[in-house]
């Protein structure tokens, strides 16, 4: 019975240490990711939130083409009106 209790407390201690180590690793990874995000933001423009890249395939004349499109969950640019689409030509 005593040996069983010692093994139980040892495994609880090991589990506690594992959780503490994993928490430290996660904090370190989060810190690293935040630094990488700041670096990317400093280097240039970043797409708005809720944007993602979509890859799609188009079959051409015996060739397959892959395209990548940046797509947003909501409209980013204002919609053009009919007047804006048609050029004004006065003769």
């Amino acid at each position: 019975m005593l040996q069983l209790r010692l093994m139980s407390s040892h495994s609880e201690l090991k589990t506690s240490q594992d959780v503490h180590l994993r928490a430290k690793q996660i904090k370190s990874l989060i810190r690293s990711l935040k630094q990488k995000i700041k670096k990317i933001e400093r280097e240039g423009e970043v797409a708005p939130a809720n944007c993602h890249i979509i890859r799609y395939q188009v079959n051409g004349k015996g060739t397959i083409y892959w395209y990548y499109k940046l797509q947003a969950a909501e409209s980013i640019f204002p919609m053009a009106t009919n007047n804006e689409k048609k050029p004004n030509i006065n003769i």
Side-chain angles (χ1 to χ4, degrees), residues 33-82:
L33 288 171
K34 285 181 178 180
Q35 289 172 349
K36 288 178 182 182
I37 289 170
K38 286 180 182 179
K39 181 178 183 256
I40 290 169
E41 289 172 341
R42 281 192 310 265
E43 290 176 355
E45 292 187 39
V46 178
N50 297 322
C51 288
H52 52 278
I53 296 174
I54 294 178
R55 180 178 132 174
Y56 60 98
Q57 175 183 346
V58 176
N59 293 323
K61 297 177 183 174
T63 307
I64 297 173
Y65 298 95
W66 289 97
Y67 291 93
Y68 296 86
K69 178 172 76 169
L70 181 65
Q71 186 160 342
E74 297 176 8
S75 297
I76 296 173
F77 303 105
M79 294 293 291
T81 64
N82 285 339

Side-chain angles (χ1 to χ4, degrees), residues 3-41:
Q3 183 181 11
L4 186 63
R5 285 187 188 155
L6 289 174
M7 289 176 60
S8 175
S9 65
H10 176 70
S11 65
E12 288 173 9
L13 180 62
K14 185 173 176 1
T15 303
S16 174
Q17 289 172 343
D18 289 345
V19 170
H20 182 68
L21 177 63
R22 291 186 71 202
K24 284 178 70 173
Q25 290 172 335
I26 290 171
K27 285 180 182 180
S28 175
L29 288 171
I30 290 171
R31 191 173 27 252
S32 173
L33 288 171
K34 285 181 178 180
Q35 289 172 349
K36 288 178 182 182
I37 289 170
K38 286 180 182 179
K39 181 178 183 256
I40 290 169
E41 289 172 341

